[in-house]
Amino acid sequence: MSDALGLLLLVVYIAAIVGLAAAITLAVIKIFPTERNPKSPDTPDDASAKRGSESTGGSLFRRSKKAAT
């Protein structure tokens, strides 16, 4: 009987911790809301201006392939 009561208390403890975390998260979201429209940067970086319309992902690998050929 004490084992069953211990397991039940463990489940209640876990549910209380998860509920507390959810309540704290909800409170933080209500107190500190994010901006709907994030601000755009004033000036682009020098590296991105040189690339033009290329995407920035994987530029390191593209350079190494060009150097290898």
Side-chain angles (χ1 to χ4, degrees):
M1 180 67 182
S2 66
D3 291 338
L5 185 60
L7 287 175
L8 181 64
L9 287 175
L10 180 64
V11 169
V12 169
Y13 175 74
I14 291 172
I17 295 296
V18 171
L20 181 65
I24 290 172
T25 301
L26 182 63
V28 167
I29 289 172
K30 292 291 182 183
I31 293 171
F32 304 109
T34 59
E35 295 180 12
R36 295 281 179 183
N37 298 325
K39 297 177 183 175
S40 60
D42 293 336
T43 57
D45 294 340
D46 291 338
S48 64
K50 290 178 184 175
R51 279 192 291 264
S53 63
E54 287 185 29
S55 66
T56 58
S59 61
L60 176 65
F61 297 113
R62 270 189 254 121
R63 281 190 218 123
S64 64
K65 285 180 184 177
K66 287 179 183 176
T69 56

